[in-house]
C-alpha cells in the first residue's frame, strides 16, 4: 500500500508518499480500505516533532478515516467485509489501508459522503468528550468556544446548537464571521478584546462553559468570564501551557471547575463509550442533515503537503480532507 511518511521533523515538505506492507489486524480490530482521511492539528504537531505517537503505535500520521471494511478480526461481530464506516484511528490514517479497533469504528450515517465521514471522528469524539462529558453542557446554558473556525470549533458550534446551548465563539477575521454567522454570535479577537465583548453580550453575566484550544494566554480572561459553577475545559495550548499571575481566589469564590483532556491519552474502553454515545445521540441528527462537518478543502493523497500548508496558514474554516 501507499502511505505518508514523516521523513524528519519540519514543514509540509517533509511528508513523502512511500510504499510498504498493509497493516495486520488484531482480534479486536478491522482493516479499513481508506477512501478519505481527515487532516487535524495533532497531525501538524506530529509532523513538527512536537507530538510523537506513543511507543508501540504506528508512526504513520492520520487520526480519522472513512472507507470500507476489508477484513475483520476474529472477535469482531459488529462489522462485516464491505461495510461503509468511519473511524477514530490510533494513527495510520494517511494510508490506503488502516487497522482500527472495532470499538472506535462507526457506520457512516445515511446521507453522509465518504469525504464528510472522514471529517467526523476526531472532532466529534473530542467535542463530545470535552463539552458534553467533562463540561456537562446542558440546554439553555451559554458556551464560549475559542477557535470557532477550526475543525474543533465548527463541530463544537454545531453540536452546541443542536443540543440547545447559546453559543459565542472567537475567530480571527471578519470574513470568517460572515461565513459562520448562522452558527453562533461571533467575536473577532484580533479587533476586539474578547473578554470585554463577551461581558457586553451577556450583560456582564458571563458564560457557563468555555471550550478552549488556546491555553495559558487566555486562562485568566476565561476565569473572569465564567459564571458561578462555571466550567473551563482546555483541549489545547496554542497560546502556551504555563499560566502566570493566576489568582486562585476568583476560582474559589465562583466554584469554577477547570479540566481538560487529550483524545490520544484515552484508552480503548473510554473511546468505545464515546463512540456508543455518538451513535445514539448524534448519528440521528447527522442523518437528518444537522451538524454536518464543514469541508473547507479536499486534496488527493499526492498533495498531502498542500493539505498541511492549508492548516498551517490558519485561513481555513472547518475541515481539510485527503482522498485516496
Amino acid at each position: 500500500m501507499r502511505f505518508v511518511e514523516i521523513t524528519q521533523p519540519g514543514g509540509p515538505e517533509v511528508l513523502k508518499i512511500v510504499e510498504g506492507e498493509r497493516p495486520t489486524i488484531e482480534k479486536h480490530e478491522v482493516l479499513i480500505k481508506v477512501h478519505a482521511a481527515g487532516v487535524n492539528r495533532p497531525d501538524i504537531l506530529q509532523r513538527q516533532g512536537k507530538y510523537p505517537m506513543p511507543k508501540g503505535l504506528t508512526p504513520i500520521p492520520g487520526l480519522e478515516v472513512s472507507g470500507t471494511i476489508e477484513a475483520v478480526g476474529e472477535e469482531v461481530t459488529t462489522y462485516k467485509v464491505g461495510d461503509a464506516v468511519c473511524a477514530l484511528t490510533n494513527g495510520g490514517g494517511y494510508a490506503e489501508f488502516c487497522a482500527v479497533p472495532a470499538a472506535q469504528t462507526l457506520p457512516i450515517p445515511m446521507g453522509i459522503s465518504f469525504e464528510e465521514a472522514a471529517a467526523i471522528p476526531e472532532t466529534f469524539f473530542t467535542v463530545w468528550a470535552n463539552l458534553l462529558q467533562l463540561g456537562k453542557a446542558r440546554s439553555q446554558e451559554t458556551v464560549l468556544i475559542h477557535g470557532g473556525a477550526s475543525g474543533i470549533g465548527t463541530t463544537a458550534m454545531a453540536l452546541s446548537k443542536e443540543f440547545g446551548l447559546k453559543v459565542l465563539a472567537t475567530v480571527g477575521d471578519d470574513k470568517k464571521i460572515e461565513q459562520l454567522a448562522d452558527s453562533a454570535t461571533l467575536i473577532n479577537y484580533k479587533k476586539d478584546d474578547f473578554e470585554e465583548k463577551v461581558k457586553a453580550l451577556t450583560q456582564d453575566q458571563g458564560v457557563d462553559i468555555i471550550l478552549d484550544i488556546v491555553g495559558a494566554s487566555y486562562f485568566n480572561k476565561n476565569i473572569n468570564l465564567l459564571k458561578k459553577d462555571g466550567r473551563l475545559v482546555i483541549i489545547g495550548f496554542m497560546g502556551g501551557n504555563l499560566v502566570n499571575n493566576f489568582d486562585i481566589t476568583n476560582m474559589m469564590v465562583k466554584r469554577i471547575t477547570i479540566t481538560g483532556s487529550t483524545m490520544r491519552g484515552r484508552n480503548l474502553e473510554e473511546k468505545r463509550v464515546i463512540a456508543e454515545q455518538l451513535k445514539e445521540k448524534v448519528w440521528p441528527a447527522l442523518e437528518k442533515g444537522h451538524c454536518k462537518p464543514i469541508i473547507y478543502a479536499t486534496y488527493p493523497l499526492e498533495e498531502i503537503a498542500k493539505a498541511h500548508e492549508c492548516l498551517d496558514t490558519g485561513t481555513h474554516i472547518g475541515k481539510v480532507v485527503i482522498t485516496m
Side-chain angles (χ1 to χ4, degrees):
M1 71 172 186
R2 294 184 306 155
F3 64 92
V4 173
E5 181 180 64
I6 301 173
T7 56
Q8 63 184 51
E13 71 280 355
V14 306
L15 301 172
K16 303 297 180 185
I17 297 175
V18 297
E19 291 196 5
E21 296 296 319
R22 295 183 188 182
T24 56
I25 56 173
E26 303 290 337
K27 293 179 180 180
H28 66 289
E29 292 182 324
V30 296
L31 182 66
I32 297 175
K33 182 178 182 180
V34 178
H35 289 231
V39 181
N40 294 282
R41 186 62 56 183
D43 304 342
I44 304 300
L45 295 175
Q46 184 181 349
R47 186 200 77 212
Q48 294 170 340
K50 299 175 182 178
Y51 195 36
M53 293 299 292
K55 190 175 180 180
L57 296 181
T58 176
I60 300 172
L63 298 176
E64 57 185 349
V65 298
S66 68
T68 54
I69 300 286
E70 184 79 5
V72 297
E74 297 171 23
E75 297 176 353
V76 177
T77 59
T78 47
Y79 298 103
K80 64 182 185 301
V81 172
D83 284 348
V85 296
C86 58
L88 179 75
T89 79
N90 295 326
Y94 291 8
E96 292 179 320
F97 293 89
C98 184
V100 187
Q104 294 169 207
T105 304
L106 286 158
I108 294 179
M110 289 187 299
I112 299 293
S113 68
F114 280 115
E115 288 79 10
E116 289 170 328
I120 289 174
E122 169 68 10
T123 53
F124 277 66
F125 270 69
T126 299
V127 171
W128 184 267
N130 288 282
L131 185 60
L132 280 301
Q133 286 184 338
L134 287 178
K136 297 180 172 62
R138 297 183 293 272
S139 177
Q140 299 307 307
E141 287 191 317
T142 302
V143 59
L144 171 62
I145 298 162
H146 290 304
S150 67
I152 290 287
T154 52
T155 299
M157 290 192 292
L159 289 180
S160 295
K161 195 172 180 180
E162 181 68 21
F163 288 97
L165 280 81
K166 301 168 187 175
V167 190
L168 307 175
T170 58
V171 295
D173 64 59
D174 289 340
K175 190 173 292 186
K176 292 179 178 178
I177 288 178
E178 291 174 17
Q179 292 178 269
L180 294 169
D182 292 337
S183 302
T185 299
L186 296 154
I187 300 160
N188 184 339
Y189 67 87
K190 292 183 179 178
K191 289 175 60 175
D192 297 308
D193 182 322
F194 76 82
E195 181 183 359
E196 296 305 316
K197 195 73 173 177
V198 170
K199 286 180 178 177
L201 289 167
T202 62
Q203 293 76 50
D204 285 326
Q205 296 298 304
V207 299
D208 299 286
I209 313 164
I210 299 175
L211 187 67
D212 181 34
I213 64 171
V214 178
S217 62
Y218 278 13
F219 188 84
N220 286 315
K221 288 187 175 185
N222 285 338
I223 296 297
N224 292 340
L225 285 173
L226 284 167
K227 296 178 181 178
K228 192 165 285 187
D229 296 314
R231 288 87 75 198
L232 171 59
V233 186
I234 303 170
I235 57 173
F237 42 87
M238 295 172 69
N241 61 349
L242 296 175
V243 178
N244 296 318
N245 303 315
F246 171 46
D247 183 351
I248 65 172
T249 308
N250 201 11
M251 177 194 70
M252 295 168 65
V253 169
K254 293 201 280 186
R255 301 192 297 264
I256 288 170
T257 298
I258 302 170
T259 186
S261 73
T262 65
M263 189 54 60
R264 188 171 292 182
R266 292 175 180 267
N267 62 35
L268 178 62
E269 176 59 19
E270 290 171 326
K271 292 174 182 177
R272 182 194 66 78
V273 170
I274 297 169
E276 288 188 353
Q277 291 178 351
L278 286 172
K279 187 176 180 181
E280 178 187 354
K281 303 291 187 182
V282 178
W283 256 227
L286 285 165
E287 291 183 344
K288 292 176 183 175
H290 303 176
C291 307
K292 292 177 72 171
I294 296 173
I295 308 295
Y296 179 76
T298 302
Y299 297 89
L301 180 66
E302 292 77 12
E303 296 181 8
I304 184 60
K306 288 185 178 179
H308 270 232
E309 286 169 7
C310 185
L311 255 69
D312 283 350
T313 64
T315 56
H316 64 289
I317 296 175
K319 297 297 291 281
V320 173
V321 172
I322 56 172
T323 59
M324 305 299 160

